[in-house]
Amino acid sequence: MKNEKSFKNRVNELVAQIPKGKVMTYGQIAALCGRPRAARMVGGIAHHGDTGLPWHRIVKKDGGLAEGYPGGTQGHRAALEVEGVKFTDSGRIADMHKRLWQGSL
DNA sequence: GTCATGACGGATC
DNA sequence: GGATCCGCCATGA
């Protein structure tokens, strides 16, 4: 069997499955797609991907926010707070480890 | 087919 | 703990 879909296509599908109130790191998503070192790809795909997907649920490994998000980390943070995610004064997710979604492919 | 890029990650200073 | 540099891999031109 060949590759069913492109790497970015898998990322799109995976992101679409992230439940509300949960988040995933770029590296984790990339790893689940089979490329643990393609974290940068996930970011690039996010910028080009569909706006109908919860890209705001994707954060950095430290629980940090995306710099290129429309509105900046500020807008990204606001989007997550709406879903019930708490943030620290440092601008990172307070309980990121609990909010982390294992994902399932 | 080749070059340069990108919403990162990890290591180092 | 914070900031900086390099490296990784797939995508697009």
Side-chain angles (χ1 to χ4, degrees):
Chain A
M1 290 283 235
K2 306 181 204 164
N3 247 359
E4 305 150 6
K5 298 174 177 181
S6 298
F7 177 76
K8 67 176 185 180
N9 202 316
R10 294 190 180 176
V11 174
N12 273 290
E13 300 264 312
L14 184 58
V15 173
Q17 297 170 63
I18 303 178
K20 178 186 171 190
K22 295 276 194 169
V23 297
M24 286 190 81
T25 68
Y26 292 94
Q28 192 173 10
I29 292 170
L32 285 172
C33 287
R35 304 300 182 231
R37 294 182 177 171
R40 303 184 70 163
M41 295 289 84
V42 180
I45 294 159
H47 192 70
H48 259 276
D50 299 271
T51 48
L53 298 176
W55 298 111
H56 58 268
R57 288 178 189 150
I58 310 181
V59 296
K60 298 197 188 182
K61 54 176 185 156
D62 308 344
L65 297 163
E67 303 269 323
Y69 192 83
T73 56
Q74 207 176 142
H76 192 170
R77 171 176 173 169
L80 286 168
E81 289 187 304
V82 172
E83 307 214 331
V85 180
K86 312 275 170 89
F87 279 83
T88 66
D89 185 50
S90 306
R92 293 179 288 213
I93 297 178
D95 43 5
M96 185 247 176
H97 194 64
K98 300 180 191 175
R99 298 289 183 179
L100 230 182
W101 184 54
Q102 290 298 302
S104 55
L105 273 178

